[in-house]
Amino acid sequence: MGAWSYGIFDDDTAYDFVDEIKTDPIAFFKSSFEYAIQVDFLGFDESHAVTVSAAYVDHLLNGTTYRTDGDYDEYGVNNFRKIHKNLNVDDLRILAIKALEKVVSKDSDLYNVWLPHEELHLKWKQTLLDLIERLR
């Protein structure tokens, strides 16, 4: 795992989706959420796609800022609201919540990767539970 801490953007995988988000953010967010909801077990990359997408939606709806790798700030989550002022993601809230609930369950590879790291696992999970609450 290329993670340096428990935050959503504290893992190299979180930045693998920048080009897809730049190309068609709504399509990427929606497909990430829908896929997660439909599958029985969510893979590592797909789990990250959900957490990253949900963070972008949270930023758009609530203005939440995230700790990120500065190399990606130009197209990253914390500048997204400035660039996409009129992007309506309100209808993605419920999908995001359902997908995040899958990520924080035993039916997610990302959950299982964090599980052996007890203290960090709890912080990682709480970060996502807080995100779910902001999206409600």
Side-chain angles (χ1 to χ4, degrees), residues 20-36:
E20 291 174 85
I21 292 169
K22 281 177 14 185
T23 302
D24 191 345
I26 295 290
F28 179 76
F29 302 157
K30 187 174 183 183
S31 66
S32 297
F33 300 148
E34 288 176 340
Y35 179 81

